[in-house]
Amino acid sequence: MIQYAERFSKEESLGVLNPKIRKWFEKNFKELTPPQYYSFKLIRSGKNVLITAPTGSGKTFSAFIAILSELMDMADAGKLEEKVYCIYVSPLRALNNDIYKNLSKPLEEIYSEFNSNKKITVGIRTGDTDQKERQRQLRHPPNILVTTPESLAIVLNSAKFSESFKELKYIVIDELHELANNKRGVHLSLSIERLAELCGHDFIRIGLGATLYPLEEAARFLVGYNKDVERDCYIVDATWDKKMEFETICPVKDIINSSDEKIESSIYKIIDNIIKKNKTTLIFTNTRSGTERVVFNLMKKFKYSEEEIAAHHGSLSREIRLGVEEMLKKGELKCVVSSTSLELGIDIGYIDNVVQLGSPKSITRAIQRIGRSGHRFYDVARGEIIVVNRDDLVECSVMLSSVKKKLLDKFSTPKNALDVLAQHIVGMSLNRKWKVEDAYSLVRNAYPYHTLPKSDFIALLEYLSGSYVGLESRRVYGKIWYDEKDGTFGKRGKYTKIIYYLNLGTIPDEVAVDVYEGKKWIGSIEEEFLSRLKPGDIFVLGGRLYKFEYSRGMRCFVSRSESKYPTIPPWFSEQLPLSYELAIEIGKFREKFSKAVEKALPKKRSLALKGIKSNEVQEILDELPADKNAKSSILQYFVEQILFAKYVPNHKFVLIEITEDKKSDLNYVIFNALYGRRVNDALSRILAIILGEKYDEDIGVMVSDNGFVLFSEFKMSSRDIEEALETTFKTDITKLLKDNIRRTEMMKRKFRHCAARSFMVLRNYKGQKISVNKQQFNAQSLLTAAEEISPNFPILKETYREILEDVMDLPRAKEILKMIESKEISYKIINTPVPSPFSHLMLTFGEADIVMMKDRRKRIKELHKEVLKLISKG
């Protein structure tokens, strides 16, 4: 049963601690933090606990003080042996190092005070741990093992080391919010169930996370099931116990007509003022290139030195990143600029203020980032989001307003991921001979696999045992044996163990892809970016426009584009999509605010451009955590949209615009569909396929968070659009998308990822690394073989599932279409001589991000002028 915990008194909480631990704790901490009032007694009572609380709230000690008390009791009674009693798992190696230090320090202080003979030992086991330390741990297992999901999966198959787990009492999963929504977390959930089977008993599961919603689902992910019975778990919810102050900032009064130089100058002045006001400032950009550009400009404009300001992102070497983190901890840096790499709970010391450039795209991410400031629990977290376009002004203001209302985005765990399961079946086979029923029962105990069909489990056993002749001819051999009659399986072949150890994990190998125009090399792009491209897509490289033609292995072939505008932005693969929950909140704001603005419009409507007076309008604006410039820009935006198009799209109303671009001779159908990029990716493909089949032409697509654009050289009528929507209601859209996806770059790349996870394509063979280029060629050959075997071949099935459910959001896209069919969501098709204001950002989506925005703004200004001209005539 999942239930919310009740708070205990201070004495009840401290009273359960070992006297030495209690004395040390009271000496170092004046007060318990909110999560500690709940957790100490629950953990000492042997309960599974999920603790969610902001950064700096003492989450780690909420778990470990109770665990250290138990181990100290054992030490005092002479019962503490060289065995692993607690495993701590974190997705970050750097966080593991922090935990090691944070546990070692109090233990050293306690021993120096009490002269304890039997000491609690702590050891780290990650990919960075050298052979000498591993051998030492084998001889003398630590009482607390600090590790990563991948290293845990490896030690599960180390016969000698796993013996030290037999007395395991606790497993602590940190940064649960970072693991629960991806395949690393799915992988870990299976490792934990295998660990319980290996120990021969269950253990206490403790989950720590900063921003989790829904909490009940997070608790289920943490504890899983015992056969068909949900394990018990207590939820400690201190998510909102830390004070936050934040604001959306618009750098200029007139965001449309101000010059690029003025906007850029104003942004950097605002940042400089914030840096000067505070001891340490952390700035987040949404891209790595943006991070480098901000550091360069701050140094150039305000003469900051390398000792005062630094960049931190995933493309920098580990040494540089660690150096920056160390300088931050020591308070030596005035400012650090990061993409996403400092978002998680690495200890970076005290941060006074967080600045976010551009939208972080989700409520949860905004809280995580702003929450990095005011590191101690009773400090106030302070942050600003600086925005330079009107859609983002609305988005970020509503996002921060949602934080005030204590709303969060939902996380979503991939369900029944067959590639991850294939990896674990091989791992399980290395330990012993299994009955199929026992193995299937164990797998279903893990929350992400509780609904796994038996047929999928059997299909994986058949694939892994080499039942398919078509694969052996392509050098894919069986890793296990499977006796269908006897209902058993086990290890096969002497190389299986080596394959498992050298190819384990869920993070795919990705490298830069070389781009060629004919035989001429012109640069490189990220593979994730390539996977998003469709033939005909136009993107910028080296300041020039190129049209994507095709790829071969890790080479991308393009031709020069005559188009004036790109359809895919250069940062598309880096920026995370708008969350569905935030999209709906923005829709609710649009609905409410547009009604108030319409009511307040003067009879002579064009006068509204000079401003409107309305208490209701002002009250709604005053609710937004935004500065004066932001509020006036938002109001102007809505006024212009209503005057020009009459309609403001929202979550219950899709505005479809048929319009044209006189400069490029293209015709556009713009769907103002506010559901986030993942949903819109699915919706846009469905409609583009249906309309393309009707006209026997390829329809171009641009996808954004606020909608999507279909474009072609011929004009589509409103009747065509209505018929296309009607067709979707009668179509098997899953099949339609699968047929369409098969020839895409995404399918080729994602199949390689899934094939590598399931040991179909090896990344390393007998210690030899296999190049990503060779992996890709192997995967493309195996994709054809898999299709010949069966459309339900497990790795093929998983690739489609990952694309349709994890990359896109087909389940929600289906819901939206159902709601359109039932008229719960209405739509209106209008013809416009030029695109309406709410469409401008969608049409310029390919241009640039907040830090490199000149081309985009130039085009928006042109469109804006045409809109104002038509409004003044009307």
Side-chain angles (χ1 to χ4, degrees):
M1 192 170 83
I2 308 294
Q3 56 189 303
Y4 283 81
E6 290 182 11
R7 181 177 164 130
F8 297 102
S9 70
K10 186 175 181 179
E11 186 46 48
E12 279 178 302
S13 298
L14 293 173
V16 298
L17 303 182
N18 172 278
K20 295 173 189 173
I21 300 288
R22 177 173 179 169
K23 190 174 178 185
W24 174 86
F25 185 84
E26 289 182 312
K27 184 179 172 183
N28 287 274
F29 300 97
K30 293 187 179 75
E31 187 55 84
L32 295 172
T33 63
Q36 291 165 357
Y37 275 106
Y38 296 84
S39 63
F40 290 174
K41 189 164 182 184
L42 284 171
I43 294 168
R44 294 264 14 212
S45 305
K47 308 296 184 194
N48 296 323
V49 182
L50 170 66
I51 302 167
T52 174
T55 304
S57 58
K59 274 196 303 290
T60 310
F61 274 160
S62 297
F64 273 115
I65 291 297
I67 293 168
L68 290 175
S69 284
E70 167 94 357
L71 299 183
M72 194 63 83
D73 285 350
M74 290 171 73
D76 291 346
K79 292 179 180 175
L80 192 71
E81 299 176 51
E82 285 190 333
K83 289 179 180 174
V84 177
Y85 296 103
C86 170
I87 296 175
Y88 167 90
V89 184
S90 152
L92 294 174
R93 291 177 190 177
L95 195 54
N96 284 338
N97 292 324
D98 282 346
I99 294 298
Y100 179 77
K101 287 175 197 164
N102 291 342
L103 288 177
S104 300
K105 188 172 177 280
L107 286 171
E108 281 165 20
E109 289 173 4
I110 290 163
Y111 297 141
S112 66
E113 187 170 343
F114 293 103
N115 298 316
S116 180
N117 296 323
K118 193 71 180 168
K119 294 186 177 179
I120 297 166
T121 55
V122 184
I124 295 185
R125 183 82 171 231
T126 71
D128 295 335
T129 306
D130 61 35
Q131 202 55 41
K132 189 180 171 187
E133 173 60 15
R134 289 178 193 199
Q135 288 301 318
R136 198 188 68 75
Q137 288 179 8
L138 196 57
R139 293 191 303 274
H140 307 288
N143 302 138
I144 298 172
L145 179 69
V146 176
T147 190
T148 60
E150 292 75 18
S151 292
L152 177 61
I154 287 170
V155 296
L156 278 174
N157 281 91
S158 166
K160 285 182 184 173
F161 192 65
S162 62
E163 276 299 308
S164 63
F165 295 155
K166 295 292 185 185
E167 301 295 323
L168 188 73
K169 291 176 179 287
Y170 302 96
I171 187 159
V172 181
I173 314 297
D174 206 350
E175 303 289 343
L176 196 75
H177 53 278
E178 189 59 25
L179 288 165
N181 63 357
N182 58 47
K183 286 188 175 181
R184 277 187 92 194
V186 171
H187 195 281
L188 176 62
S189 69
L190 282 172
S191 290
I192 293 170
E193 293 308 329
R194 286 177 58 196
L195 184 61
E197 191 273 339
L198 184 76
C199 294
H201 65 265
D202 219 334
F203 34 73
I204 297 160
R205 300 166 195 231
I206 302 162
L208 310 174
T211 40
L212 282 162
Y213 175 79
L215 284 170
E216 292 85 352
E217 189 174 348
R220 289 184 186 102
F221 174 85
L222 172 68
V223 299
Y225 296 80
N226 187 357
K227 298 206 168 116
D228 283 321
V229 180
E230 191 175 86
R231 291 190 180 100
D232 292 341
C233 186
Y234 284 85
I235 295 171
V236 173
D237 182 8
T239 309
W240 304 102
D241 284 17
K242 187 171 181 175
K243 285 181 182 170
M244 298 181 100
E245 289 177 4
F246 38 67
E247 187 176 47
T248 301
I249 292 176
C250 179
V252 289
K253 278 185 182 175
D254 187 344
I255 199 70
I256 298 287
N257 296 310
S258 295
S259 69
D260 296 325
E261 292 71 25
K262 187 179 177 183
I263 292 174
E264 187 170 288
S265 169
S266 181
I267 287 172
Y268 283 106
K269 271 182 193 163
I270 291 166
I271 294 171
D272 179 52
N273 285 337
I274 291 168
I275 294 170
K276 284 191 166 69
K277 255 192 331 195
N278 295 291
K279 189 170 180 286
T280 312
T281 300
L282 177 58
I283 299 172
F284 283 105
T285 67
N286 285 334
T287 64
R288 293 167 188 182
S289 56
T291 294
E292 294 290 351
R293 197 174 170 94
V294 170
V295 170
F296 173 80
N297 279 326
L298 285 170
M299 285 179 167
K300 184 181 158 192
K301 289 172 189 285
F302 304 105
K303 309 299 179 215
Y304 287 105
S305 68
E306 287 181 5
E307 286 72 41
E308 292 176 299
I309 189 166
H312 189 290
H313 57 72
S315 296
L316 294 169
S317 72
R318 185 169 176 267
E319 287 70 29
I320 291 173
R321 292 199 312 270
L322 288 173
V324 171
E325 288 162 25
E326 202 52 43
M327 287 167 78
L328 255 180
K329 278 180 208 174
K330 290 176 181 172
E332 292 170 3
L333 288 166
K334 284 284 293 172
C335 174
V336 171
V337 187
S338 170
S339 51
T340 57
S341 50
L342 288 177
E343 195 175 280
L344 293 182
I346 309 165
D347 182 11
I348 50 173
Y350 194 85
I351 303 291
D352 294 291
N353 201 94
V354 169
V355 176
Q356 165 73 42
L357 291 177
S359 173
K361 309 309 287 184
S362 85
I363 306 162
T364 299
R365 202 167 298 109
I367 293 169
Q368 280 171 357
R369 290 182 175 184
I370 293 167
R372 304 264 31 204
S373 65
H375 193 73
R376 289 187 297 271
F377 185 72
Y378 294 105
D379 296 328
V380 177
R382 289 187 173 86
E384 296 84 19
I385 305 181
I386 301 174
V387 180
V388 294
N389 71 59
R390 300 195 292 185
D391 271 346
D392 280 2
L393 282 173
V394 175
E395 186 176 299
C396 294
S397 299
V398 172
M399 182 190 298
L400 293 180
S401 189
S402 299
V403 175
K404 279 167 64 177
K405 293 176 192 168
K406 302 186 176 180
L407 300 174
L408 286 171
D409 314 291
K410 281 184 181 179
F411 75 89
S412 178
T413 303
K415 300 282 170 62
N416 302 326
L418 299 178
D419 51 353
V420 175
L421 179 54
Q423 207 170 110
H424 273 281
I425 289 172
V426 172
M428 289 162 75
S429 77
L430 297 175
N431 288 351
R432 62 179 176 87
K433 174 182 167 182
W434 283 83
K435 284 186 177 173
V436 171
E437 284 303 323
D438 292 346
Y440 177 58
S441 179
L442 181 150
V443 165
R444 285 184 66 249
N445 283 346
Y447 171 72
Y449 291 96
H450 192 58
T451 59
L452 179 75
K454 180 85 172 284
S455 56
D456 282 354
F457 189 74
I458 299 298
L460 275 176
L461 292 176
E462 287 169 349
Y463 147 63
L464 289 167
S465 62
S467 298
Y468 300 111
V469 180
L471 294 180
E472 282 224 351
S473 63
R474 286 175 166 86
R475 301 180 69 182
V476 177
Y477 304 110
K479 283 41 174 209
I480 66 169
W481 59 260
Y482 166 47
D483 186 329
E484 192 180 348
K485 251 187 204 171
D486 197 29
T488 54
F489 70 90
K491 182 186 82 167
R492 171 179 170 181
K494 59 182 177 179
Y495 290 121
T496 302
K497 192 166 193 172
I498 297 165
I499 287 169
Y500 178 79
Y501 280 142
L502 294 179
N503 293 274
L504 183 132
T506 60
I507 301 166
D509 289 341
E510 289 198 336
V511 293
V513 176
D514 288 325
V515 181
Y516 286 84
E517 184 187 0
K519 291 183 179 177
K520 183 186 169 191
W521 179 80
I522 54 170
S524 59
I525 56 175
E526 289 182 0
E527 189 185 8
E528 181 65 21
F529 182 75
L530 173 63
S531 76
R532 305 275 177 168
L533 295 178
K534 302 181 292 296
D537 277 342
I538 294 156
F539 64 95
V540 182
L541 186 61
R544 291 181 171 175
L545 287 175
Y546 293 97
K547 181 159 72 169
F548 172 61
E549 301 291 349
Y550 65 96
S551 78
R552 191 171 289 138
M554 301 310 285
R555 287 187 171 194
C556 166
F557 293 89
V558 299
S559 58
R560 286 296 296 276
S561 172
E562 301 305 313
S563 165
K564 290 187 175 70
Y565 308 115
T567 59
I568 301 283
W571 41 265
F572 192 64
S573 62
E574 285 187 66
Q575 193 176 49
L576 293 157
L578 181 74
S579 72
Y580 180 76
E581 289 74 27
L582 180 52
I584 298 304
E585 288 305 308
I586 295 165
K588 289 174 185 173
F589 172 80
R590 281 188 183 183
E591 184 181 35
K592 182 181 176 182
F593 192 55
S594 59
K595 281 177 185 170
V597 171
E598 275 181 52
K599 250 194 269 177
L601 287 176
K603 280 183 183 171
K604 195 174 179 187
R605 292 192 146 208
S606 57
L607 289 173
L609 289 173
K610 292 175 182 173
I612 59 174
K613 287 180 180 175
S614 158
N615 289 339
E616 188 183 356
V617 166
Q618 198 53 50
E619 278 169 20
I620 295 169
L621 285 172
D622 287 344
E623 287 170 11
L624 298 176
D627 72 355
K628 197 177 172 183
N629 288 347
K631 289 172 184 174
S632 65
S633 292
I634 290 168
L635 176 56
Q636 189 72 0
Y637 192 27
F638 277 72
V639 167
E640 287 171 14
Q641 176 68 18
I642 292 164
L643 294 180
F644 180 80
K646 293 185 184 173
Y647 304 100
V648 172
N650 60 53
H651 62 304
K652 290 185 193 165
F653 170 60
V654 178
L655 181 63
I656 305 167
E657 231 179 298
I658 300 172
T659 189
E660 61 187 57
D661 178 5
K662 294 181 179 78
K663 289 194 174 181
S664 65
D665 297 322
L666 284 174
N667 293 288
Y668 294 122
V669 180
I670 303 167
F671 285 74
N672 282 276
L674 185 56
Y675 304 113
R677 197 165 78 219
R678 290 176 59 226
V679 173
N680 287 337
D681 195 350
L683 291 174
S684 62
R685 284 175 196 255
I686 293 161
L687 288 161
I689 296 162
I690 290 168
L691 285 162
E693 283 174 359
K694 176 176 173 148
Y695 283 103
D696 197 23
E697 292 272 356
D698 276 342
I699 306 285
V701 176
M702 284 190 278
V703 183
S704 80
D705 287 313
N706 291 351
F708 54 93
V709 181
L710 307 181
F711 57 92
S712 60
E713 289 176 0
F714 55 89
K715 190 157 188 169
M716 288 174 269
S717 69
S718 56
R719 186 75 205 123
D720 294 331
I721 308 303
E722 281 178 356
E723 282 174 3
L725 282 167
E726 289 294 326
T727 305
T728 65
F729 306 147
K730 297 175 279 198
T731 302
D732 179 349
I733 58 177
T734 303
K735 184 180 183 305
L736 182 83
L737 278 178
K738 277 187 178 179
D739 293 344
N740 172 258
I741 285 163
R742 169 57 190 95
R743 303 294 160 201
T744 62
E745 284 304 314
M746 188 171 287
M747 183 69 187
K748 291 181 201 173
R749 309 283 149 188
K750 293 295 181 188
F751 181 78
R752 186 189 90 235
H753 297 172
C754 294
R757 287 189 201 105
S758 52
F759 304 149
M760 194 178 189
V761 167
L762 298 181
R763 294 180 287 177
N764 194 311
Y765 185 61
K766 298 182 185 178
Q768 291 289 110
K769 282 205 81 159
I770 296 164
S771 73
V772 178
N773 192 41
K774 192 170 181 190
Q775 289 178 44
Q776 188 60 47
F777 274 113
N778 292 345
Q780 281 170 224
S781 157
L782 289 167
L783 175 54
T784 307
E787 287 173 325
E788 286 167 5
I789 291 165
S790 164
N792 282 322
F793 182 74
I795 313 311
L796 195 59
K797 187 174 179 178
E798 174 54 26
T799 307
Y800 281 120
R801 189 211 63 76
E802 184 173 314
I803 293 170
L804 296 176
E805 294 181 18
D806 300 348
V807 178
M808 298 178 202
D809 190 346
L810 182 58
R812 280 211 178 101
K814 285 180 174 177
E815 281 174 30
I816 300 297
L817 288 170
K818 264 188 194 161
M819 289 165 85
I820 292 171
E821 186 181 14
S822 67
K823 300 195 169 41
E824 285 176 72
I825 293 174
S826 60
Y827 69 87
K828 180 82 180 170
I829 304 172
I830 61 171
N831 285 272
T832 54
V834 295
S836 74
F838 271 42
S839 298
H840 293 179
L841 277 154
M842 267 190 274
L843 283 175
T844 57
F845 183 63
E847 306 292 338
D849 67 11
I850 179 175
V851 187
M852 299 174 289
M853 53 208 166
K854 291 184 180 178
D855 294 341
R856 189 181 204 186
R857 275 212 302 273
K858 186 182 169 192
R859 192 168 178 220
I860 286 172
K861 273 184 194 176
E862 290 167 4
L863 291 167
H864 187 252
K865 270 183 191 169
E866 289 183 56
V867 163
L868 290 187
K869 208 188 289 177
L870 289 161
I871 288 173
S872 60
K873 278 182 189 172

